[in-house]
């Protein structure tokens, strides 16, 4: 038995894998961060959406990869998850680079990845298409299930709290839901007061566009999963 090095007081009998899923601005990241910040749980936060963005960010669009070849795409994704991401650091390093430290131009790698995937139409469409690819979702589940087991065995964490839009079909899934009005308000409150009037209209359009592009449908809730309505709850109430 590996000596436990986690700070948590909870000693889980098996690796924990929590998947927090739901629509944009429904509180997924807030809940997953809250779970990971509770020391006694000893779980690590990982944003699967960001991992997918980072992968799409570095994918060549010059025709050297056949995006209609499932085997080629899936092998590329497996290699990216296994070889390009260093999980020994917090936050993770991608291609050996800390994702939140600003470069000489004042932008972090995380900023550059997000901007490219949000503003480049080709990468944006590629991201949404690959997000819905069943093979990619299976690879995500298999890889992070095994990562949770490895981290648990090494005494680093009791498990993982993962954030994603769509539920992964296994383990204990927490699905977060909120009405469109609440989600629009969440987006609206992130900008300065001087920008809010114009941005409110844009927030509504963006939210509807994201839902349409992602092909969101209410997922079927399995035996190990349950939904949490976040409309009238604080983050602490949702975690509790």
């Amino acid at each position: 038995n590996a000596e436990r090095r986690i700070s948590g007081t909870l000693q889980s009998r098996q690796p924990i894998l929590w998947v927090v899923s739901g629509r944009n601005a429904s509180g997924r990241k807030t809940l997953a961060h809250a779970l990971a910040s509770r020391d006694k749980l000893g779980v690590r936060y990982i944003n699967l959406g960001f991992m997918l963005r980072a992968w799409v960010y570095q994918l060549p669009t010059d025709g050297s990869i056949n995006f209609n070849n499932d085997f080629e795409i899936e092998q590329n994704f497996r290699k990216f998850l296994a070889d390009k991401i260093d999980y020994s650091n917090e936050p993770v390093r991608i291609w050996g680079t800390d994702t939140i430290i600003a470069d000489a131009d004042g932008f972090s790698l995380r900023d550059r990845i997000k901007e490219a995937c949000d503003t480049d139409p080709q990468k944006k469409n590629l991201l949404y298409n690959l997000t819905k690819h069943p093979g990619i979702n299976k690879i995500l589940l298999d890889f992070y299930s095994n990562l949770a087991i490895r981290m648990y065995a090494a005494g680093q964490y009791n498990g993982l709290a993962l954030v994603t839009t769509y539920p992964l079909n296994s383990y204990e899934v927490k699905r977060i839901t909120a009405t469109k009005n609440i989600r629009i308000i969440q987006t609206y409150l992130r900008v300065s007061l001087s920008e809010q009037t114009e941005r409110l209209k844009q927030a509504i359009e963006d939210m509807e566009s994201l839902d349409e592009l992602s092909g969101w449908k209410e997922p079927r809730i399995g035996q190990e999963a349950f939904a949490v309505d976040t409309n009238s709850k604080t983050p602490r109430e949702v975690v509790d």
Side-chain angles (χ1 to χ4, degrees):
N1 294 330
E3 180 182 355
R4 306 301 291 173
R5 294 193 297 276
I6 62 170
S7 59
T9 57
L10 171 66
Q11 299 300 307
S12 174
R13 294 184 179 181
Q14 61 183 4
I16 297 169
L17 188 63
W18 282 326
V19 182
V20 183
S21 65
R23 291 182 172 185
N24 294 283
S26 63
R28 299 166 300 167
K29 294 178 185 177
T30 301
L31 174 57
H33 271 301
L35 288 168
S37 67
R38 291 202 169 185
D39 288 341
K40 68 179 181 180
L41 296 179
V43 298
R44 177 169 183 170
Y45 169 92
I46 294 180
N47 186 340
L48 299 188
F50 177 67
M51 299 306 169
L52 282 165
R53 284 171 183 264
W55 174 51
V56 170
Y57 174 77
Q58 54 87 56
L59 282 175
T61 55
D62 58 2
S64 57
I65 291 183
N66 181 2
F67 292 108
N68 294 318
N69 186 321
D70 289 347
F71 179 79
E72 185 176 351
I73 287 295
E74 291 170 11
Q75 286 296 95
N76 187 289
F77 188 43
R78 286 191 184 94
K79 185 173 178 59
F80 172 78
L81 291 176
D83 298 344
K84 306 302 182 183
I85 306 174
D86 179 3
Y87 297 94
S88 65
N89 293 280
E90 179 59 46
V92 298
R93 290 178 177 269
I94 301 180
W95 309 298
T97 302
D98 188 311
T99 57
I100 64 172
I101 294 180
D103 58 21
D105 296 323
F107 295 96
S108 68
L109 177 58
R110 185 175 293 269
D111 293 333
R112 294 192 181 280
I113 289 172
K114 186 177 187 304
E115 181 181 14
C117 291
D118 287 350
T119 61
D120 183 325
Q122 191 172 8
K123 288 193 178 296
K124 188 173 184 178
N125 288 330
L126 185 59
L127 173 65
Y128 283 111
N129 288 333
L130 292 174
T131 297
K132 294 182 287 185
H133 191 292
I136 296 302
N137 281 293
K138 184 179 186 305
I139 291 169
L140 278 173
L141 177 60
D142 291 346
F143 180 85
Y144 285 104
S145 297
N146 289 327
L147 181 63
I149 291 170
R150 296 199 302 271
M151 287 184 163
Y152 176 84
Q156 296 170 322
Y157 295 93
N158 277 326
L160 302 174
L162 308 178
V163 173
T164 180
T165 299
Y166 295 96
L168 301 179
N169 296 320
S170 187
Y171 285 82
E172 192 168 358
V173 179
K174 317 297 183 188
R175 186 171 68 88
I176 305 303
T177 182
T179 64
K180 183 181 290 186
N181 287 342
I182 293 295
R183 294 159 55 221
I184 290 169
I185 291 171
Q186 292 277 22
T187 305
Y188 176 61
L189 293 176
R190 293 174 189 164
V191 300
S192 64
L193 182 61
S194 61
E195 298 175 313
Q196 285 182 359
T197 301
E198 183 63 28
R199 290 292 299 275
L200 178 57
K201 179 181 178 181
Q202 187 63 47
I204 296 172
E205 294 175 355
D206 289 347
M207 197 66 61
E208 292 175 344
S209 176
L210 282 170
D211 286 345
E212 182 178 354
L213 280 171
S214 62
W216 173 269
K217 293 181 181 179
E218 289 294 333
R220 294 170 59 186
I221 302 300
Q223 293 181 348
E224 296 178 320
F226 61 87
V228 179
D229 187 336
T230 60
N231 285 317
S232 58
K233 292 182 175 62
T234 66
R236 180 173 292 278
E237 289 172 335
V238 174
V239 172
D240 291 339

